[in-house]
Amino acid sequence: MKVAVMVTCINDSLFPDTGKSVFRLLRRLGVDADFPAAQTCCAQPMVNTGYLDEAVPVVRTFVDAFAGYDAIVTPSGSCAGSVRHQHSIVARRAGEERLASAAPRVYELSEFLVDVLGVTDVNAYFPHRATYHPTCHSLRMLGVGDKPLRLLREVRGLDLVELPAAAECCGFGGTFAVKNAETSTAMGADKARHVRGTGAEVLVAGDSSCLLHIGGLLSRERSGVRVMHLADVLASTEEEA
Amino acid sequence: MPAFPEAARKALADTQLRRNLAHATGTIRAKREAVVGEVAEWEELRLAGAAIKDNTLRRLDEHLLTLEASLQARGATVHWARDAAEACEIVARIAHGHGIDEVVKVKSMATQEIGLNEALAAHGVTAWETDLAELIVQLGDDLPSHILVPAIHRNRAEIREVFRRGMADAGRPAPPGLSDEPAELAAAARLHLREKFLRARMAVSGANFAVAESGTLVVVESEGNGRMCLTLPEVLVSVVGIEKVVPTFADLDVFLQLLPRSSTGERMNPYTSTWSGVTPGDGPQEMHVVLLDNGRTRALADEVGRQALRCIRCSACLNVCPVYERTGGHAYGSVYPGPIGAILNPLLKGVGVDEQTDSLPYASTLCGACFEACPVRIDIPEVLVHLRAKVVDAHREGVPKPEAVAMKSAAWLLSDARRLGLAERGLGVANRALTRFGRRVLPGGRRALGRLPWPGSLWTNARDLPAPPRESFRAWWRKGGRP
Amino acid sequence: MSAREEILAAVRGALREADRTEAPVPRGYRTVTPPDVVDLFAERVVDYRASLTRCTAAELPDAVRAALGPARKVLVPDGFPIEVAGSADSAELDTFDAVVTTAALGIATTGTLVLDHGPGQGRRALSLVPDVHVCVLRQDRIVPGVPQAVAALDPARPQTWISGPSATSDIELTRVEGVHGPRTLHVIVVAD
């Protein structure tokens, strides 16, 4: 099976360490994944803001970059959801059926680990108290269910505590975060309050975009809680700790 | 009406409103979850509800003609109204025809939508709302903010004040020493409205469902005010949106399960009334049904958006919406607030006409909680994204907004990995410059940017932002970086 | 063009490109039935804060008398199965304390009474205006769920579905019994 990693534009430009974690984790599990250098973005920012014409060349770039791979793994529920459910909209707009062709091959990281590789114990070690926020698109667009939690429960040393109102949106919502900035931060403030209430030192989630938002609020509140991507936690080992 | 972001800003600053909403939506969410969890076949009921509504919409012309014929056969007069003004005109004409200057009303979204009370007032006819929440809104000279619980934004102390101040001018005054106990407030409403029910000669209702085959109208309610209006007066006028039609009486077995559990979070609402035209010796002996378009055929023409016409006005989507929970209903500037309002208003009114309507499809994070709760499986996020594209397309002519320029630039950058790589290299350089603005360090040790000028301020006003890394993932990989 | 013609033309125009064939509707829910429908009905009625008595036909007169309590003016529609002192109907419903009726059927899963205003049930307003409603239901008239009820009812008759006393949740989503309809609902289930 030829496996490619879609690092996502946000991880590529802002959180490169998360991209590295994905590769480290996959290698440890015996998967020799590739980073197709022509990749950029899934085009979700354009599609979700209504700019379908603008999304067309971005999706074209995406489809070309990942042509020839059997599986496209991405550390983002949101970007996986965008490929799976929204590329067809762009394909219809452009009248190019092939623009929807990546949809059946894309896997969010926890889906790939649990469903394709069939593992929940990835031999990770992370001796911290953490709580997990199931991002909306992982939860409701993809339906990953408890796969991320099953992976986290196997992490040695991890003290995983339940997040109250976990399934409620953090308020990021892509361009919503700036178009409706006040509402976005009002939602995020409640999410941050729930996170602080758990006493966790780390908030884990499967989407760097949501973490950027919640983490930004937690930091501004001087909460002392850090945010980490699921991939970063799963990639941690005893040797590094 | 101001656009959503501006209206929301005002609501977000209202601390009492925030608390009332969080309490009310939290309560009803828990109730709904409990009674939905009881029904093992819930998913199948949702699929059945969606299928029946879709099938009906596909042949709506035929079902409307069947409904018209059934109603007429049962002694009701059928009227058709293209828009709000025409519908109000019809109701006023019926009142005038009987020399009636006062009507009692059952809570009805259709009559709210067409602004019937105001229109009737202009024709010299007073309309009394009889649902408790609608009464609170009417006496308080307020606007409804929720489909099911229009006064959800008010707490008991505020309602007591509304009754003490407003009841005397409208009829029987509030009892002296009225407390803010919900039971006492409800009893005051009972006394206040009883005289109106007993004297009213004409009532106006909506309908939750209109059965084509049998000419049956259905009104679902809790308090008994609906039953009062539907049975005591001589004349009954029901204003019914054309999407309310269901083909057969048997189809109600789906909706009478889906609706109460989704709306009030009860296994069944206290009262449901069904009637098929005039029943000799029982209830109003003169009946009118106004079939209302008012934008529904426009929504029907939208192949993605037409699923919104499945809506049975349960308001489950409002109660689970994290945006609605913070802003309340007034921010949406319509009698249809929340997620369903964010799609229904643009579908009924059309996009590209006014800024307020165009702002509604963006009043969502696309979190999907609404779709999950919707008893007729309206994929609200899908329709929101579709409508956003329509809004953008409606503004493609003329001078582009900053957002359009930004999106075009982003698209240019993101359609070519080399361009993106160059931009990221620029970020790396900027990193060293930008971190000088701020000395913040994020939990975990990474440097943060300081507060940025507009448009970066839209982010950094409330949230820290990590400084860009020195090196993008792409650059690291190109250098042969391997884990 | 009349409003009627214009609306119908707009509907047809909107559906010009649409697929007009109807999709199958899943109906498996119609075969779902709970066990012990009478017990379930009784439990659900009480859950709605209505009061409930179960009795035999012989015990019915006493049960009705007990349920009416101190009510002095009672409405007793024609066709009510036992002798109760009262009036069959009135133009002044507001002056009555209580009403006794039968019901067409009861729904177990929801604890609902359905009146179709046949003999023993009176016109619709009768069971609405007085403050106390005593409703007598034969046990064999209890159906498992909403689908069975809808299938058994005649749409041509006006119907009133009643689940507990009149209630509202309009104030802070707190349920309060008793707004415009009867504030007391007493259900008597007759075993044979």
Side-chain angles (χ1 to χ4, degrees):
Chain A
M1 186 166 62
K2 266 185 84 181
V3 179
V5 173
M6 180 216 326
V7 165
T8 80
C9 59
I10 185 170
N11 287 322
D12 177 23
S13 57
L14 265 183
F15 303 101
D17 289 348
T18 297
K20 295 173 198 171
S21 292
V22 174
F23 278 95
R24 202 158 64 240
L25 175 64
L26 290 178
R27 169 144 322 169
R28 202 165 75 215
L29 297 169
V31 178
D32 187 22
D34 197 8
F35 174 79
Q39 68 175 279
T40 55
C41 167
C42 66
Q44 183 174 201
M46 288 90 207
V47 176
N48 277 358
T49 317
Y51 291 83
L52 289 187
D53 287 345
E54 288 74 5
V56 171
V58 182
V59 173
R60 210 176 273 140
T61 303
F62 184 97
V63 169
D64 290 343
F66 290 100
Y69 289 94
D70 305 308
I72 306 160
V73 184
T74 183
S76 165
S78 197
C79 304
S82 145
V83 177
R84 205 176 284 169
H85 297 293
Q86 295 188 328
H87 279 193
S88 55
I89 303 172
V90 181
R92 215 176 311 135
R93 174 78 161 210
E96 283 178 57
E97 215 173 294
R98 72 180 193 100
L99 295 191
S101 62
R105 293 177 288 134
V106 73
Y107 298 91
E108 183 271 339
L109 180 63
S110 74
E111 289 180 325
F112 186 75
L113 297 176
V114 176
D115 295 344
V116 180
L117 300 184
V119 293
T120 48
D121 184 350
V122 297
N123 207 11
Y125 174 73
F126 190 73
H128 300 280
R129 187 183 175 94
T131 191
Y132 172 74
H133 166 59
T135 60
C136 299
H137 289 174
S138 302
L139 200 63
R140 288 181 276 261
M141 212 172 178
L142 296 180
V144 302
D146 66 347
K147 283 165 203 162
L149 284 169
R150 277 157 65 197
L151 290 159
L152 286 170
R153 282 192 204 110
E154 302 283 349
V155 174
R156 271 168 283 286
L158 179 65
D159 176 14
L160 187 64
V161 289
E162 200 181 324
L163 179 66
E168 186 167 301
C169 179
C170 71
F172 171 67
T175 45
F176 180 86
V178 289
K179 284 175 85 89
N180 282 284
E182 284 86 356
T183 311
S184 170
T185 48
M187 289 162 67
D190 287 340
K191 179 63 72 180
R193 178 168 52 80
H194 288 308
V195 171
R196 289 200 315 271
T198 65
E201 51 181 304
V202 182
L203 171 70
V204 183
D207 271 290
S208 294
S209 49
C210 307
L211 288 174
L212 180 71
H213 170 69
I214 312 169
L217 286 160
L218 285 167
S219 166
R220 184 63 60 86
E221 293 169 358
R222 311 291 198 261
S223 68
V225 181
R226 70 186 290 201
V227 296
M228 279 178 82
H229 194 281
L230 177 69
D232 296 320
V233 175
L234 296 181
S236 304
T237 57
E238 197 141 5
E239 293 74 54
E240 298 158 40
Chain B
M1 271 308 286
F4 184 83
E6 197 186 321
R9 198 171 299 135
K10 203 173 135 211
L12 287 163
D14 185 338
T15 52
Q16 178 74 69
L17 175 75
R18 293 280 295 275
R19 192 178 170 280
N20 294 353
L21 281 170
H23 170 75
T25 55
T27 305
I28 199 159
R29 272 202 301 267
K31 285 173 73 179
R32 178 192 159 274
E33 248 166 62
V35 296
V36 164
E38 256 175 24
V39 183
E41 65 277 21
W42 186 255
E43 273 315 304
E44 199 198 46
L45 286 170
R46 288 179 79 210
L47 288 165
I52 294 168
K53 283 282 187 176
D54 281 354
N55 286 344
T56 313
L57 291 171
R58 282 191 186 108
R59 296 173 169 273
L60 188 59
D61 48 342
E62 297 165 28
H63 292 299
L64 286 170
L65 289 172
T66 308
L67 175 67
E68 180 187 47
S70 311
L71 285 165
Q72 286 167 343
R74 302 283 310 185
T77 307
V78 177
H79 309 259
W80 300 71
R82 280 166 281 220
D83 55 25
E86 194 166 27
C88 294
E89 195 70 37
I90 291 166
V91 181
R93 210 166 49 229
I94 296 166
H96 285 161
H98 292 81
I100 286 169
D101 62 2
E102 178 185 73
V103 302
V104 284
K105 278 189 68 201
V106 190
K107 180 176 164 349
S108 135
M109 292 313 297
T111 60
Q112 290 275 4
E113 174 192 324
I114 61 176
L116 181 65
N117 295 4
E118 297 73 17
L120 286 180
H123 282 95
V125 178
T126 309
W128 299 112
E129 293 291 350
T130 64
D131 170 77
L132 178 53
E134 295 282 10
L135 177 72
I136 295 164
V137 168
Q138 187 174 39
L139 293 179
D141 203 11
D142 200 353
L143 291 167
S145 71
H146 190 279
I147 290 173
L148 177 76
V149 199
I152 198 169
H153 56 290
R154 297 285 201 185
N155 67 13
R156 58 184 73 190
E158 293 169 298
I159 293 166
R160 172 176 176 262
E161 276 317 295
V162 167
F163 280 7
R164 272 162 35 110
R165 288 190 192 151
M167 273 186 174
D169 288 338
R172 186 179 173 131
L178 178 67
S179 84
D180 65 1
E181 270 307 304
E184 264 193 57
L185 295 169
R190 177 187 176 95
L191 286 172
H192 178 79
L193 287 173
R194 184 60 61 123
E195 61 180 23
K196 293 197 165 75
F197 288 132
L198 295 175
R199 124 185 131 208
R201 292 174 51 217
M202 172 168 154
V204 180
S205 82
N208 292 91
F209 308 100
V211 181
E213 173 197 67
S214 56
T216 309
L217 298 189
V218 182
V219 164
V220 168
E221 52 134 354
S222 294
E223 297 167 9
N225 63 306
R227 293 177 66 192
M228 292 277 181
C229 294
L230 299 173
T231 53
L232 295 180
E234 302 150 29
V235 181
L236 173 63
V237 183
S238 305
V239 181
V240 182
I242 55 171
E243 85 287 14
K244 291 284 168 195
V245 60
V246 295
T248 68
F249 189 76
D251 290 318
L252 293 177
D253 70 0
V254 175
F255 298 108
L256 290 179
Q257 294 190 74
L258 289 173
L259 179 55
R261 289 183 199 257
S262 300
S263 58
T264 50
E266 293 169 300
R267 296 187 185 107
M268 188 60 82
N269 50 291
Y271 297 129
T272 297
S273 297
T274 80
W275 71 100
S276 307
V278 175
T279 306
D282 185 350
Q285 296 298 298
E286 180 177 330
M287 285 200 184
H288 299 264
V289 176
V290 183
L291 297 175
L292 175 73
D293 180 347
N294 205 33
R296 284 156 179 78
T297 52
R298 184 205 295 274
L300 187 67
D302 185 316
E303 56 177 24
V304 178
R306 69 167 64 114
Q307 59 182 306
L309 296 177
R310 290 181 201 151
C311 176
I312 55 173
R313 311 284 189 263
C314 73
S315 68
C317 63
L318 277 62
N319 301 326
V320 299
C321 177
V323 173
Y324 177 89
E325 184 182 331
R326 269 77 187 184
T327 65
H330 293 159
Y332 295 81
S334 159
V335 298
Y336 301 115
I340 188 65
I343 61 172
L344 202 52
N345 289 301
L347 286 166
L348 294 175
K349 296 176 193 166
V351 297
V353 181
D354 71 277
E355 197 197 349
Q356 196 272 334
T357 307
D358 285 357
S359 73
L360 292 178
Y362 293 93
S364 165
T365 60
L366 306 177
C367 82
C370 47
F371 179 30
E372 201 173 50
C374 178
V376 287
R377 294 180 54 91
I378 301 170
D379 191 340
I380 295 178
E382 180 193 22
V383 182
L384 286 167
V385 170
H386 166 76
L387 288 170
R388 290 176 183 186
K390 290 188 95 170
V391 170
V392 168
D393 288 344
H395 294 283
R396 283 197 184 271
E397 308 290 314
V399 186
K401 288 190 296 179
E403 177 189 280
V405 175
M407 281 293 164
K408 274 188 206 311
S409 321
W412 180 81
L413 201 64
L414 294 171
S415 1
D416 185 336
R418 275 163 308 176
R419 290 177 206 150
L420 178 60
L422 279 171
E424 285 167 344
R425 212 177 302 161
L427 271 183
V429 176
N431 171 32
R432 290 174 278 280
L434 283 168
T435 38
R436 277 189 221 135
F437 285 123
R439 296 178 188 285
R440 297 271 304 125
V441 176
L442 298 168
R446 185 167 168 180
R447 289 296 292 270
L449 296 177
R451 293 184 192 236
L452 300 174
W454 191 88
S457 59
L458 291 171
W459 184 276
T460 59
N461 272 347
R463 292 160 284 213
D464 284 341
L465 185 64
R470 283 168 181 268
E471 187 179 61
S472 69
F473 178 88
R474 174 184 315 278
W476 173 79
W477 183 275
R478 192 170 337 119
K479 280 185 356 201
R482 293 294 183 275
Chain C
M1 216 170 10
S2 71
R4 179 180 184 273
E5 295 315 311
E6 208 171 301
I7 292 168
L8 288 168
V11 169
R12 288 174 189 133
L15 296 170
R16 205 169 28 233
E17 314 248 298
D19 179 3
R20 295 267 215 152
T21 50
E22 295 192 354
V25 178
R27 299 287 189 184
Y29 65 87
R30 283 184 175 160
T31 56
V32 178
T33 52
D36 306 325
V37 292
V38 178
D39 287 345
L40 183 63
F41 175 78
E43 179 198 313
R44 296 275 150 102
V45 164
V46 172
D47 213 30
Y48 276 132
R49 297 183 223 180
S51 41
L52 182 114
T53 309
R54 293 174 72 167
C55 69
T56 62
E59 293 163 341
L60 182 59
D62 283 342
V64 170
R65 205 168 308 126
L68 283 171
R72 282 175 302 140
K73 283 188 77 181
V74 182
L75 285 160
V76 188
D78 285 338
F80 191 71
I82 59 164
E83 203 59 41
V84 178
S87 319
D89 201 342
S90 166
E92 313 255 293
L93 295 179
D94 200 31
T95 64
F96 283 79
D97 303 314
V99 58
V100 291
T101 70
T102 60
L105 52 85
I107 305 171
T109 49
T110 60
T112 302
L113 298 159
V114 182
L115 275 62
D116 66 1
H117 306 285
Q121 300 172 40
R123 64 187 171 103
R124 285 174 283 169
L126 249 56
S127 50
L128 171 65
V129 180
D131 207 15
V132 176
H133 179 193
V134 177
C135 186
V136 175
L137 180 71
R138 268 172 41 198
Q139 188 171 302
D140 61 5
R141 299 301 300 159
I142 298 173
V143 299
V146 172
Q148 293 79 13
V150 169
L153 289 161
D154 175 7
R157 306 191 64 87
Q159 293 162 25
T160 308
W161 295 36
I162 300 173
S163 307
S166 158
T168 182
S169 297
D170 280 346
I171 302 167
E172 298 182 8
L173 272 300
T174 305
R175 187 178 162 104
V176 173
E177 272 78 30
V179 195
H180 305 294
R183 287 184 281 196
T184 302
L185 174 67
H186 198 112
V187 182
I188 301 175
V189 177
V190 188
D192 49 316

